[in-house]
Amino acid sequence: MPQGAQPRDKVTIIEIADAAGVSKSTVSLVLTGRGSVKPETRERILQVMDELGYVYNRGAANLRNTQSKIVGLVLNDLSNPFFAEFAIGVETVLQMAGYVAFMANTAESVVRQGQVMKMMREHGARGIILCPALDTTAEELALASGPDTALLVAIRRLPGVAASSVVPDNVAGSARITRHLLNLGHRRIAYLGGMSSMVVRQDRHQGFSEAMAKAGVAIDPGLNLECMPTRDGGFSAMSSALALPNRPTAVVCYNDVVAIGAMLAAARRGLVVGRDIAIVGFDDTSEARHVSPALTTIAVDAVGLGERAAAMLLERITNRAAPATSHVGPAKLVIRESCGAYQHALTAAG
């Protein structure tokens, strides 16, 4: 599709046939995959379809006079337990409403994201819940979405996108957990994980910075360590932090997955998390409760956010004229062993 062009759901098969110089029946054969069409003819038709922004609605072709009960769920990283829990919440509400979720994992690929969203629209999805891939832009999303498909953006807000959204309170949550570490006496605190281009990282680092500034504690730029929000990323970034001549005494991590990677790196160096160094996360996934030591983190209720996202999308499907709305979920501090709070209390009592 030419740069700046917008998808047109109302392009007809006749228009495609005229532009490609073929018959209507030939275009139909390409769309349905039936019959034999010369490769060069097929390629010419597909190119014209792309140039005109045609989207083949398979759901309409298959169901004709019935309305689709399909909702797309596009996740950026299904390997992260947070998104699995989020998906459970989405599916619970959709199932109660008689809808089925078609789920896809983009693995942080914007290209893959555009492909799966187009496929979902082709199959007649009434709406799509999107957890955007890294570096998704408003322009790219406009090309991947369409006027006949309701859209809700979840977890990662996208500035400039006129769609409903469901996100946790990243700024307040990060500030809250940073204040907790400050109250325990830590001053050399690192922020670890996420990439600077991530809106969520920007929000969470903002909360961290605001809490540090309010406490009058300077932030060492060398302790602001970026990495992909994965366990391997956390392990690598934490290893770098621990190799510094003056290592941090506490680490605020982008999410629980990064924090668990950081805990493994600390253990590899012989440090006892919660005694020799404090490590905290964000999200409160089930894994955070079961690692040893248990992870201090910010609980945002991934299942609840999924339920809210599904309910809001269904409202948009029912009433397409309704304005876009936003929901910011609460972020609560959950204190466990990894921050050393209990060790601190024992020391103070002694």
Side-chain angles (χ1 to χ4, degrees):
M1 185 184 299
Q3 186 174 7
Q6 297 293 322
R8 291 173 55 202
D9 287 350
K10 302 305 181 183
V11 175
T12 66
I13 291 178
I14 294 176
E15 289 179 287
I16 296 170
D18 289 343
V22 297
S23 67
K24 176 183 174 182
S25 60
T26 302
V27 176
S28 296
L29 290 175
V30 171
L31 288 172
T32 60
R34 300 170 183 169
S36 178
V37 178
K38 292 181 180 180
E40 58 270 23
T41 302
R42 180 184 299 275
E43 183 61 30
R44 185 165 74 252
I45 292 171
L46 292 174
Q47 183 177 348
V48 169
M49 288 168 56
D50 186 56
E51 290 173 352
L52 295 179
Y54 179 79
V55 175
Y56 178 42
N57 191 327
R58 298 182 192 274
N62 294 334
L63 302 177
R64 296 300 177 188
N65 297 322
T66 62
Q67 280 194 323
S68 165
K69 302 291 282 186
I70 296 170
V71 165
L73 176 56
V74 183
L75 303 172
N76 58 289
D77 183 11
L78 195 52
S79 67
N80 184 336
F82 174 87
F83 291 104
E85 294 176 22
F86 176 82
I88 289 172
V90 170
E91 289 195 311
T92 298
V93 172
L94 291 181
Q95 186 177 24
M96 292 176 62
Y99 281 76
V100 62
F102 276 10
M103 186 165 60
N105 176 39
T106 65
E108 301 289 8
S109 168
V110 175
V111 173
R112 172 64 177 160
Q113 177 177 278
Q115 292 171 342
V116 298
M117 289 181 69
K118 181 179 179 181
M119 290 171 62
M120 288 173 176
R121 291 176 58 213
E122 288 179 353
H123 284 277
R126 300 283 301 285
I128 294 176
I129 295 174
L130 171 68
C131 298
L134 181 63
D135 296 330
T136 298
T137 65
E139 291 74 20
E140 288 163 335
L141 197 56
L143 292 174
S145 58
D148 293 335
T149 306
L151 176 67
L152 182 138
V153 175
I155 311 306
R156 292 176 175 173
R157 60 182 179 84
L158 285 178
V161 174
S164 294
S165 64
V166 170
V167 297
D169 197 340
N170 293 306
V171 176
S174 189
R176 191 165 291 131
I177 206 164
T178 303
R179 286 196 300 270
H180 174 66
L181 293 176
L182 290 165
N183 290 337
L184 291 175
H186 294 284
R187 292 298 179 268
R188 187 161 175 77
I189 305 175
Y191 191 91
L192 189 128
M195 307 302 292
S196 60
S197 60
M198 292 178 170
V199 173
V200 175
R201 209 270 187 183
Q202 295 166 12
D203 290 344
R204 292 181 182 178
H205 192 269
Q206 177 187 335
F208 166 77
S209 301
E210 289 177 355
M212 294 284 279
K214 191 171 182 179
V217 179
I219 299 175
D220 183 345
L223 296 183
N224 181 20
L225 301 170
E226 297 182 25
C227 69
M228 287 299 292
T230 63
R231 187 176 304 194
D232 287 344
F235 184 94
S236 178
M238 186 65 172
S239 298
S240 298
L242 295 178
L244 296 171
N246 185 14
R247 67 170 176 80
T249 65
V251 180
V252 176
C253 293
Y254 170 81
N255 63 13
D256 290 349
V257 175
V258 168
I260 291 170
M263 292 170 68
L264 293 172
R268 180 72 60 86
R269 284 184 167 256
L271 299 176
V272 177
V273 176
R275 186 192 70 188
D276 302 324
I277 189 167
I279 298 177
V280 299
F282 201 112
D283 287 341
D284 195 29
T285 60
S286 59
E287 194 174 12
R289 300 187 286 275
H290 298 137
V291 293
S292 182
L295 182 64
T296 294
T297 186
I298 291 293
V300 298
D301 186 11
V303 174
L305 288 173
E307 292 173 343
R308 177 61 70 98
M312 288 173 57
L313 183 72
L314 291 176
E315 290 177 6
R316 291 280 288 169
I317 290 173
T318 303
N319 183 11
R320 294 304 305 276
T325 57
S326 298
H327 170 75
V328 179
K332 301 177 181 178
L333 175 64
V334 179
I335 301 173
R336 299 192 181 102
E337 290 83 4
S338 72
C339 65
Y342 300 125
Q343 185 72 27
H344 179 81
L346 290 173
T347 301

